[in-house]
Amino acid sequence: MGASGSKARGLWPFTSAAGGGVPETAGAEQALVRPRGLGVPPFVFTRRGSMFYDEDGDLAHEFYEETIVTKNGQKRAKLRRVYKNLIPQGIVKLDPPRIHVDFPVILYEV
């Protein structure tokens, strides 16, 4: 059997007994697809942080500095975005863990 044969044996969650087609085994009534690797959890415990540290140790998504601009003899304050000397936040622990985006499960509330 090809790739479709493995789906008919209960590894594909979207088959139904009423839908016709190839008869299913008793294991096909499971709601989840078996993970590809052995012992691979469907959860994500860490992610890469999206924020940065500046020279002062402040943590934020974006940093701005105030600059004074003289135009027509008038002093005016403007904000300029800072791109240099920023350190990425690194790995962030997720609490609670999230379900991996590639885990083939349909979540619904009854």
Side-chain angles (χ1 to χ4, degrees):
M1 287 186 185
S4 63
S6 66
K7 291 179 185 177
R9 284 184 280 176
L11 296 178
W12 185 247
F14 306 114
T15 57
S16 68
V22 182
E24 300 176 6
T25 61
E29 296 171 0
Q30 295 176 350
L32 305 176
V33 174
R34 294 181 200 151
R36 291 184 182 163
L38 296 175
V40 177
F43 300 108
V44 177
F45 297 99
T46 59
R47 68 171 175 84
R48 199 174 108 202
S50 60
M51 297 197 285
F52 297 91
Y53 290 102
D54 68 349
E55 304 101 20
D56 300 330
D58 296 328
L59 182 66
H61 285 285
E62 299 174 337
F63 288 95
Y64 293 89
E65 65 181 3
E66 187 177 11
T67 58
I68 304 297
V69 178
T70 304
K71 186 174 183 182
N72 295 333
Q74 294 180 344
K75 290 185 179 178
R76 196 168 164 220
K78 281 191 137 184
L79 294 177
R80 189 176 64 119
R81 188 165 175 187
V82 175
Y83 294 100
K84 296 182 180 180
N85 298 327
L86 297 179
I87 302 166
Q89 184 180 13
I91 301 298
V92 176
K93 183 181 176 191
L94 295 174
D95 188 40
R98 310 303 200 269
I99 295 179
H100 196 277
V101 68
D102 292 333
F103 191 69
V105 174
I106 298 173
L107 301 174
Y108 67 95
E109 185 176 334
V110 179

